[in-house]
Amino acid sequence: MTTLTCCNYIDGQWLSTTQTLLSRNPTNNEIVATFPRSDSADVDVAVASARKAYHSWRQVPAPARAEYIFRVGELLLQHKEELAQLISREMGKAITEARGDVQEGVDCAFYSAGEGRRLFGQTTPSEMPNKFAMTMRMPIGVCALITPWNFPVAIPCWKAMPALVCGNTVILKPAEDTPACATKLIEIFQQAGLPAGVINLVHGLGEEAGKALVEHPDVDLVSFTGSSETGAFVGETCGRTHKRVCLEMGGKNAQVVMEDADLELALDGAIWGAFGTAGQRCTATSRLILHRDIKEKFTTMLKERTSKLRLGSPTDPDTDIGPIINQRQLQRVKMYLDIAREENAKVLIGGEIADEGELKNGYFFQPTILDNVTPEMRVAREEIFGPVVALIEVSSFEEAIAILNDTNYGLSSSVYTRDINRAFAAMRDIEAGITYINGPTIGAEVHLPFGGVKQTGNGHREAGTTALDVFTEWKSVYVDFSGSLQRAQIDNRS
């Protein structure tokens, strides 16, 4: 297939750089695209472009800003299949999931566009006569959006669309593994007619272009999705430089299956949660916490279903699991299987790199179930980011919740039970940003907040109306029409 040439998009122009990098198809290792290896000078130009555009963009009425985003949504629908095929080719996501990735961008566009007429503040009584008081949302400024490869359309949309509707300008720095997907997405923003400089695209390595963006003095906000290690650097840097920062990082999510659960339903959830996107989701089901009364039966069911999953080309509609994103991540998954064996976990199925037949040129890993896992094992505590699920046995609901919470992360969680009392106790007691009852740990909806607690994030949320709190500042406004100086109670000496 044709190798694509990607460029930076700065101030409404497509710009190349002297040094370039390659992105490869993880299914067969073919070159998908060349893209710029941007440096700090490229970042400087992009930030200057965004800063210049900000002064006029913030003055555009919010409903008019939202109309641009609505047009982006319409264009995403028109180009949905083209984008989905590109996602499958460049990132390795199964084609049905890739279509869902694009659809999430569509949903985010239409939702964010609606918020253009709902950037509500509040009016409230003043403590003094003839004085009016209200609050209003104000944009923050230039926003650097650093996004991962596993949702190369959805996550940039989660960040860029509300940021733009709120009146900010944007610089997108996508993952090195998915530059072509990001380029196509920005082409759609361009086609929607956004003014020059309002949205910019800078490709490159995280330790070069990404670092330069995070450290740049004229960047007002950094929104980062990625590893906890990199997120810690981003948070530390933004803290020193007084930037607004939104972090969405790792997860070690668990699905609890109680003895009264609908086991077929729980099985569907476990298969989808553990092996969807080859386990390469921050919300993936990494741990299955099983009540001892059903553990043997459920494990047999799980093993049988897993054995039928088909590895293969993500563009083949019969494929269940596509490749791991790259060689480095494939070796990381393999490393964790070595660790699992050293810790005396039992590999029930899978556990090896899959390189037979048509898989030999790609980065495939067998869907894997680990048994005899205890909560202190590394495979029960550290994010693997591959098609690997660990089984942990418990004897009570209380023990299940305690083990679920015994992690440094707190993104998503799931409990399967028919007991309504347990369900509500789980909603109350689980330490996570997302809790599903009788559903898998994956499957976020764009109008609800997305994010987690502990080392998963820093308290902010993406999607939903909470995204507006990331991309706006509150301003309090007082209008005194008394015609005389009135001292507020904080200054009243009487």
Side-chain angles (χ1 to χ4, degrees):
M1 296 184 72
T2 303
T3 299
L4 305 173
T5 301
C6 300
C7 296
N8 290 338
Y9 182 70
I10 299 174
D11 200 23
Q13 301 293 321
W14 292 99
L15 305 174
S16 59
T17 58
T18 303
Q19 296 189 68
T20 59
L21 300 163
L22 301 176
S23 78
R24 294 182 178 273
N25 185 333
T27 302
N28 54 26
N29 207 33
E30 71 171 6
I31 297 173
V32 175
T34 63
F35 64 99
R37 182 175 179 173
S38 304
D39 58 21
S40 59
D42 300 306
V43 169
D44 287 343
V45 176
V47 173
S49 167
R51 176 62 61 192
K52 177 183 174 183
Y54 171 66
H55 297 294
S56 55
W57 180 247
R58 68 185 296 273
Q59 300 287 353
V60 176
R65 296 193 298 254
E67 289 176 6
Y68 288 99
I69 304 306
F70 192 88
R71 284 199 288 274
V72 172
E74 293 179 314
L75 290 166
L76 282 171
L77 275 176
Q78 293 176 25
H79 295 276
K80 182 176 180 178
E81 187 61 24
E82 177 188 356
L83 255 176
Q85 292 289 336
L86 182 57
I87 291 170
S88 286
R89 181 184 174 203
E90 187 172 46
M91 180 258 154
K93 185 176 289 189
I95 188 61
T96 54
E97 294 184 46
R99 293 180 184 122
D101 195 321
V102 182
Q103 184 61 47
E104 183 76 358
V106 174
D107 294 344
C108 185
F110 294 155
Y111 179 83
S112 297
E115 291 305 308
R117 293 185 180 272
R118 290 191 294 267
L119 291 178
F120 298 137
Q122 293 180 319
T123 59
T124 186
S126 170
E127 63 191 33
M128 288 174 284
N130 298 320
K131 189 175 181 180
F132 178 81
M134 68 177 181
T135 62
M136 54 195 297
R137 289 185 183 272
M138 305 297 291
I140 291 175
V142 176
C143 301
L145 313 180
I146 302 175
T147 58
W149 46 262
N150 59 338
F151 283 87
V153 170
I155 292 179
C157 289
W158 275 11
K159 297 178 187 292
M161 290 172 173
L164 294 170
V165 167
C166 288
N168 305 285
T169 52
V170 160
I171 303 161
L172 173 64
K173 209 303 282 184
E176 300 94 293
D177 292 290
T178 50
C181 294
T183 299
K184 182 60 184 178
L185 177 62
I186 296 302
E187 286 176 358
I188 287 173
F189 274 89
Q190 180 190 30
Q191 190 177 347
L194 271 79
V198 169
I199 189 165
N200 304 273
L201 172 66
V202 174
H203 293 290
L205 301 174
E207 59 268 30
E208 296 174 354
K211 184 172 184 285
L213 270 173
V214 171
E215 294 177 340
H216 202 288
D218 284 336
V219 169
D220 302 295
L221 178 151
V222 177
S223 179
F224 169 83
T225 299
S227 71
S228 296
E229 293 77 15
T230 304
F233 165 79
V234 173
E236 179 185 353
T237 303
C238 291
R240 289 199 316 269
T241 53
H242 307 290
K243 288 181 173 66
R244 173 76 64 86
V245 60
C246 176
L247 303 175
E248 202 289 294
M249 300 176 288
K252 192 66 179 176
N253 315 291
Q255 174 181 314
V256 174
V257 183
M258 295 307 299
E259 79 283 1
D260 64 337
D262 179 333
L263 295 189
E264 288 291 344
L265 181 63
L267 179 63
D268 289 341
I271 291 290
W272 176 227
F275 303 127
T277 322
Q280 299 173 112
R281 294 191 183 203
C282 55
T283 54
T285 304
S286 187
R287 298 177 292 158
L288 271 174
I289 301 174
L290 308 176
H291 193 277
R292 64 184 180 188
D293 289 354
I294 54 88
K295 180 178 181 294
E296 182 177 355
K297 179 179 180 180
F298 189 80
T299 300
T300 300
M301 295 166 63
L302 180 68
K303 184 177 177 181
E304 181 182 1
R305 181 80 74 86
T306 301
S307 69
K308 296 178 181 177
L309 295 175
R310 183 175 180 271
L311 289 166
S313 169
T315 56
D316 183 342
D318 292 330
T319 291
D320 297 303
I321 301 177
I324 302 297
I325 185 64
N326 55 40
Q327 178 69 27
R328 182 181 65 256
Q329 183 60 27
L330 181 68
Q331 291 302 317
R332 175 183 169 87
V333 177
K334 180 180 182 298
M335 176 195 75
Y336 272 105
L337 265 294
D338 294 338
I339 291 170
R341 293 182 176 98
E342 291 170 3
E343 293 181 320
N344 294 318
K346 181 179 181 182
V347 180
L348 292 184
I349 191 171
E352 302 291 345
I353 291 173
D355 55 6
E356 65 280 359
E358 64 177 12
L359 309 180
K360 64 181 179 180
N361 294 321
Y363 308 127
F364 293 87
F365 200 89
Q366 297 171 348
T368 299
I369 303 170
L370 300 177
D371 201 1
N372 298 342
V373 176
T374 56
E376 69 275 4
M377 290 182 180
R378 288 181 64 185
V379 290
R381 307 195 68 81
E382 299 176 16
E383 188 174 39
I384 299 173
F385 227 63
V388 180
V389 64
L391 309 187
I392 302 173
E393 181 177 323
V394 295
S395 57
S396 69
F397 173 76
E398 292 75 18
E399 184 185 4
I401 299 301
I403 289 175
L404 185 152
N405 288 337
D406 184 21
T407 172
N408 292 329
Y409 301 106
L411 180 52
S412 191
S413 58
S414 166
V415 175
Y416 281 78
T417 180
R418 289 187 175 100
D419 187 328
I420 192 170
N421 296 328
R422 283 175 170 172
F424 274 84
M427 288 185 271
R428 179 194 65 197
D429 295 337
I430 288 175
E431 298 167 357
I434 303 167
T435 294
Y436 294 88
I437 304 299
N438 294 326
T441 60
I442 63 177
E445 299 183 27
V446 74
H447 55 293
L448 275 73
F450 183 91
V453 301
K454 303 179 184 178
Q455 292 183 21
T456 289
N458 66 331
H460 292 295
R461 294 291 185 272
E462 298 192 289
T465 56
T466 50
L468 306 180
D469 292 325
V470 173
F471 293 110
T472 57
E473 298 275 17
W474 282 108
K475 177 182 282 189
S476 297
V477 178
Y478 302 95
V479 180
D480 192 322
F481 55 99
S482 67
S484 62
L485 174 65
Q486 297 190 93
R487 290 184 178 182
Q489 289 183 174
I490 192 173
D491 298 315
N492 197 330
R493 293 172 292 178
S494 62

